[in-house]
Amino acid sequence: MMIERNIKHLISLTDYSNEEILELVKLGEKIYNSPRDYADTCKGQIMATLFFEPSTRTKFSFESAMLRLGGNILGFSDANTSSVKKGESVADTIRCISYYADIAVMRHPKEGTPKLASIYSEMPIINAGDGGHLHPTQTLTDLLTIHRYKGGLENHVVGLCGDLKYGRTVHSLIKTLARFNTKKFVLISPEELTLPSSLKRYLKDSYDVEIEEVRYIEDVVDQLDILYMTRIQKERFFNEEDYLKLRNSYILNKEKIKEGKGDMIIMHPLPRVNEISYEVDSDERAVYFEQAKMGVYVRMALIMKLLEVE
Amino acid sequence: MLEVKQIDNGIVIDHIKSGNGLKIFNKLELFKANSPVVLLINVESKQLGKKDIIKIENTFDIDLNLLGLIDENISINFIKDGKVIDKKKVLMPEKVSGLITCKNPRCITNSDDYVKPTFDLISREKLEYRCNFCDEITRYKI
Ligand SMILES: [Zn+2]
């Protein structure tokens, strides 16, 4: 039996209009400013966190969001230790869980799984990461941070630094920011890890946005409104030598941001390994810990919207 | 020249690129058909040089989407009482369900058999389809 109902999910931000995205970001900011006003909005509702692969931070962020809205949570954090047996279709799993919860958050190593689940679900599904494919609430988190610290999403010069080739977070952020009239993208990466040319072409063709590609942070830091750092993984290099040679160029320290604007913000999706020196933490332009905090508020906004409790 | 009689009722799949006839025969699982089926290969054609033809007797039911995926030049004639009553050109379908498998090994459609993978056409020239689940681009190969 299939019940035809119009349930809103968040599988990909491409399914959301600019207005819808902005609404979420603005609601997130409202909640951030007066969290007490929202403390009971989801009272009596249950959120299931279905983590078929572990991601403690993302799971906690969602759970914290639901608890702060007065709701309850249930879930698992690893398919191997849970009762979700291999061989059962996600369609079956989600139909059963629809009877236990009002909304579900799903992380899964296989790409497209939350989408599949959403087809058969009688409750809203939130994609909390599907393999190397999408992680839309990370992008919403980044957008709220930018909105909060830069006063809006439009007309920024956005520098992205590190692994721009494989980084799912970076691709999603670029594609979404481009929808909001970004003034310019400055892509800072080693030659081996530049943004895929297909994505560059897409940005040019669809948004006619200016793109500059450089190798070093110091060369462009003075023009940036936002500096978004990502990790460069050793495995991405053919040999240790290349990695060691390049590594230092992509580790942010006080020296490299000396020429940066006073109101530039420095972001990072966390966890960091060594790509931002600890000395940068005390710089008032560093907002990466606030960013993690914003993740909770934007998730609160999302849960409220999907449960239609606003 | 080899003579094959006209069929009175059924379908003639014409202008198949030489070499694809047998593949289509297999894809459509015509070896399971209840009625007579003729597969002609290397027939002379003004248009194509050489072509293949398939004739299926006593049926009017055929998967046009599948044929469109294989070769856009194929034409189909529906025959009744020895006369062509309808001609159809196949077209590459805008949406495909189940006929293609996603080339992305990490795609859920390759490990969960509950759904048929579905795709949207993104390039007619390159036969490219985008998976609705993982967004990976797959090229159709017969
Ligand atoms: Zn796929």
Side-chain angles (χ1 to χ4, degrees):
Chain A
M1 186 178 67
M2 281 270 278
I3 299 167
E4 282 294 327
R5 250 201 303 160
N6 228 343
I7 303 166
K8 184 95 171 153
H9 308 282
L10 174 59
I11 305 303
S12 165
L13 284 176
T14 54
D15 302 330
Y16 279 52
S17 69
N18 283 11
E19 291 70 32
E20 286 174 309
I21 292 173
L22 209 53
E23 233 174 84
L24 280 173
V25 167
K26 285 182 171 165
L27 178 58
E29 200 164 337
K30 258 165 82 180
I31 302 170
Y32 172 82
N33 289 326
S34 47
R36 279 171 189 278
D37 295 350
Y38 299 88
D40 290 320
T41 45
C42 290
K43 206 169 177 182
Q45 308 243 38
I46 298 173
M47 180 177 79
T49 48
L50 315 173
F51 278 58
F52 291 84
E53 114 191 312
S55 173
T56 311
R57 237 174 255 257
T58 306
K59 187 165 178 284
F60 280 5
S61 183
F62 271 109
E63 292 179 347
S64 170
M66 189 54 169
L67 294 170
R68 283 168 194 272
L69 292 169
N72 297 297
I73 51 171
L74 55 84
F76 56 85
S77 54
D78 184 353
N80 295 321
T81 58
S82 77
S83 57
V84 182
K85 285 277 183 312
K86 267 203 174 128
E88 185 188 45
S89 170
V90 168
D92 288 5
T93 311
I94 208 68
R95 276 193 281 229
C96 290
I97 292 170
S98 295
Y99 304 128
Y100 315 143
D102 304 294
I103 185 167
V105 176
M106 179 183 280
R107 190 180 187 99
H108 201 286
K110 292 281 180 185
E111 298 170 13
T113 311
K115 168 79 176 253
L116 197 165
S118 73
I119 296 171
Y120 299 98
S121 173
E122 290 179 30
M123 63 183 160
I125 303 289
I126 298 173
N127 182 359
D130 57 336
H133 184 217
L134 299 167
H135 189 11
T137 59
Q138 176 65 55
T139 304
L140 286 175
T141 299
D142 297 342
L143 296 181
L144 174 55
T145 309
I146 291 169
H147 197 271
R148 162 104 183 78
Y149 288 94
K150 298 303 293 176
L153 301 177
E154 303 204 349
N155 290 316
H156 301 307
V157 176
V158 184
L160 300 124
C161 177
D163 179 357
L164 308 185
K165 188 173 180 183
Y166 300 99
R168 146 185 93 173
T169 307
V170 169
H171 296 174
S172 169
L173 178 61
I174 291 178
K175 277 193 260 183
T176 314
L177 268 182
R179 293 166 58 180
F180 292 92
N181 295 320
T182 294
K183 196 193 256 172
K184 184 180 179 183
F185 286 114
V186 182
L187 309 174
I188 311 158
S189 73
E191 214 177 328
E192 294 87 341
L193 298 174
T194 54
L195 198 73
S197 49
S198 56
L199 182 48
K200 272 182 273 181
R201 213 177 318 123
Y202 168 76
L203 293 171
K204 287 261 179 213
D205 294 349
S206 308
Y207 303 101
D208 196 28
V209 60
E210 193 183 345
I211 297 171
E212 183 181 353
E213 283 190 283
V214 296
R215 298 281 163 263
Y216 303 105
I217 302 166
E218 304 90 300
D219 296 346
V220 287
V221 72
D222 59 330
Q223 52 168 310
L224 305 180
D225 299 314
I226 296 156
L227 173 57
Y228 198 102
M229 296 295 298
T230 64
R231 193 189 325 159
I232 290 186
Q233 284 167 297
K234 206 167 156 180
E235 307 87 81
R236 302 295 188 204
F237 286 88
F238 294 116
N239 59 62
E240 181 102 13
E241 211 180 308
D242 280 358
Y243 170 71
L244 292 174
K245 205 169 66 192
L246 275 161
R247 193 181 57 179
N248 288 334
S249 304
Y250 299 93
I251 295 177
L252 199 67
N253 56 23
K254 279 192 157 175
E255 181 62 27
K256 291 198 179 81
I257 49 172
K258 209 173 58 190
E259 301 296 326
K261 292 190 212 172
D263 64 349
M264 173 179 82
I265 57 169
I266 303 163
M267 299 173 66
H268 187 290
L270 302 182
R272 70 173 151 180
V273 179
N274 59 3
E275 56 277 15
I276 301 180
S277 304
Y278 295 151
E279 64 178 30
V280 178
D281 296 359
S282 58
D283 191 299
E284 57 185 22
R285 295 170 293 181
V287 299
Y288 31 88
F289 293 114
E290 283 79 2
Q291 193 179 343
K293 188 170 162 186
M294 292 302 151
V296 177
Y297 294 101
V298 88
R299 288 180 175 104
M300 288 168 82
L302 178 63
I303 293 166
M304 283 177 61
K305 282 276 178 208
L306 294 181
L307 287 176
E308 299 173 356
V309 294
E310 201 197 355
Chain B
M1 192 178 154
L2 180 67
E3 286 289 336
V4 178
K5 83 170 184 67
Q6 299 289 329
I7 58 171
D8 288 330
N9 289 294
I11 296 170
V12 177
I13 308 171
D14 203 353
H15 301 110
I16 302 170
K17 206 174 114 201
S18 172
N20 279 348
L22 187 58
K23 292 178 188 167
I24 291 173
F25 184 89
N26 287 326
K27 274 270 185 192
L28 292 176
E29 301 187 325
L30 293 174
F31 45 83
K32 289 184 187 165
N34 295 319
S35 30
V37 179
V38 183
L39 166 64
L40 292 149
I41 59 172
N42 296 328
V43 181
E44 269 180 53
S45 158
K46 279 178 207 139
Q47 212 178 322
L48 300 166
K50 275 193 172 136
K51 65 175 182 181
D52 297 349
I53 301 172
I54 296 172
K55 299 183 181 192
I56 313 161
E57 223 164 33
N58 302 325
T59 183
F60 296 95
D61 182 28
I62 191 144
D63 189 339
L64 290 167
N65 277 349
L66 178 63
L67 293 173
L69 268 180
I70 293 167
D71 185 346
E72 279 211 297
N73 293 314
I74 291 173
S75 59
I76 299 166
N77 298 322
F78 294 85
I79 300 180
K80 202 155 189 199
D81 302 324
K83 284 182 192 138
V84 177
I85 53 159
D86 197 5
K87 267 179 187 274
K88 278 197 173 123
K89 285 291 278 179
V90 299
L91 253 188
M92 272 187 88
E94 294 287 338
K95 287 190 177 297
V96 170
S97 171
L99 301 169
I100 307 178
T101 51
C102 182
K103 76 160 192 201
N104 177 4
R106 298 173 311 277
C107 179
I108 186 65
T109 61
N110 287 317
S111 55
D112 191 317
D113 53 13
Y114 199 88
V115 285
K116 282 184 186 169
T118 55
F119 298 84
D120 289 327
L121 178 64
I122 57 164
S123 166
R124 237 168 239 290
E125 294 72 39
K126 297 185 203 151
L127 298 170
E128 285 178 343
Y129 280 88
R130 179 186 285 122
C131 173
N132 290 152
F133 290 87
C134 75
D135 293 319
E136 187 86 16
I137 292 163
T138 295
R139 289 183 71 165
Y140 183 76
K141 279 193 215 84
I142 181 169

